[in-house]
């Protein structure tokens, strides 16, 4: 993977929590970050990070309402590297079960489903990561490492571009990579050295 200068990173602010900790983590690895809800800033950025803490329906709707959803789609089509975090992964899919049903951005086929009954939900804490045979270079170094999760819904283990899986009752997608689109179900900003190393790789991908 050839390292490229990070350029300007748009950190999308659409009302989700945990924004500042993601901003701080990106700055810690040398990124030039602008926190924004302006679609034009998203279109012009060299990279985009979509954080997420909250519900998939609310986050997806907030992005559509602000115009950021359309700007994000344009950036992805243009080849801009994009990283989705937690709900930022979930909203990439067509639909989800949360709150009686939610429409995602439809960038990836499939459905975000609730983790199985009988497990403690939300799943909060550290879980081990397992790489898939086709794991993208961005995620391959994380095989066997632990990352911090906080969620009740997840993408299936056979999601498009799945690069890392973990298990909470059932195996599910912990990270995926499809062309210039990357996403993680865990929180790199809370995953200490492992998470910071991932963000550093992303800002040079």
């Amino acid at each position: 993977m050839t390292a490229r200068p990070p350029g300007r990173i748009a950190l999308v602010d659409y009302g989700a929590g945990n924004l500042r900790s993601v901003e701080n983590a990106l700055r810690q690895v040398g990124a030039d970050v602008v926190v924004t809800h302006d679609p034009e800033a998203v279109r012009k950025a060299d990279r985009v990070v979509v954080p997420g803490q909250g519900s998939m329906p609310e986050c997806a709707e907030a992005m559509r309402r602000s115009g950021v959803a359309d700007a994000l789609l344009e950036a992805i089509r243009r080849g801009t590297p994009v990283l989705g975090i937690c709900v930022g992964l979930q909203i990439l899919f067509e639909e989800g079960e949360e709150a009686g049903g939610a429409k995602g951005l439809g960038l990836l086929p499939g459905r975000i489903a609730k983790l199985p009954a009988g497990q403690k939900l939300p799943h909060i804490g550290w879980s081990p990561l397992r790489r898939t045979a086709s794991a993208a270079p961005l995620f391959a170094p994380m095989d066997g490492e632990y990352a911090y999760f906080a969620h009740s819904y997840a993408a299936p283990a056979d999601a498009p571009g799945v690069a890392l899986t973990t298990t909470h009752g059932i195996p599910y997608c912990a990270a995926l990579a499809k062309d210039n689109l990357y996403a993680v179900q865990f929180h790199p900003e809370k995953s200490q050295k492992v998470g910071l190393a991932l963000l550093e790789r992303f800002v040079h991908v």
Side-chain angles (χ1 to χ4, degrees):
M1 194 162 61
T2 304
R4 293 194 299 169
R8 171 63 62 91
I9 296 179
L11 179 60
V12 179
D13 178 6
Y14 54 91
N18 219 38
L19 195 66
R20 294 304 164 195
S21 56
V22 178
E23 179 188 6
N24 291 339
L26 285 165
R27 293 193 190 282
Q28 198 171 331
V29 299
D32 174 17
V33 184
V34 57
V35 178
T36 184
H37 52 77
D38 178 6
E40 278 309 306
V42 172
R43 288 186 180 94
K44 292 176 181 176
D46 298 293
R47 295 162 202 282
V48 181
V49 175
V50 183
Q53 188 169 303
S55 77
M56 177 182 169
E58 289 175 4
C59 292
E61 183 53 35
M63 286 187 69
R64 288 192 191 94
R65 208 167 42 240
S66 68
V68 166
D70 287 339
L72 182 67
L73 296 176
E74 288 176 32
I76 291 167
R77 282 196 293 267
R78 205 166 49 242
T80 302
V82 171
L83 175 66
I85 297 173
C86 195
V87 176
L89 175 148
Q90 296 177 12
I91 61 175
L92 301 175
F93 285 79
E94 291 170 321
E95 58 181 354
E97 294 179 355
E98 192 170 359
K103 184 184 176 189
L105 301 182
L107 284 162
L108 298 171
R111 183 177 179 83
I112 301 296
K114 191 166 189 176
L115 291 169
Q119 304 297 315
K120 185 177 180 182
L121 296 179
H123 166 42
I124 297 177
W126 297 82
S127 290
L129 305 170
R130 293 285 176 263
R131 64 170 290 179
T132 63
S134 58
L138 184 74
F139 297 119
M142 304 185 77
D143 186 42
E145 300 283 6
Y146 280 72
Y148 185 86
F149 292 80
H151 65 116
S152 297
Y153 297 82
D158 61 353
V162 62
L164 297 169
T165 62
T166 193
T167 302
H168 191 69
I170 57 168
Y172 62 89
C173 173
L176 61 85
K178 192 164 173 54
D179 302 321
N180 53 308
L181 181 59
Y182 307 92
V184 295
Q185 182 58 63
F186 55 87
H187 286 273
E189 77 281 4
K190 296 181 180 179
S191 296
Q192 300 178 358
K193 288 181 181 178
V194 169
L196 287 177
L198 169 65
L199 293 176
E200 187 166 24
R201 289 194 298 276
F202 172 72
V203 302
H204 295 287
V205 75

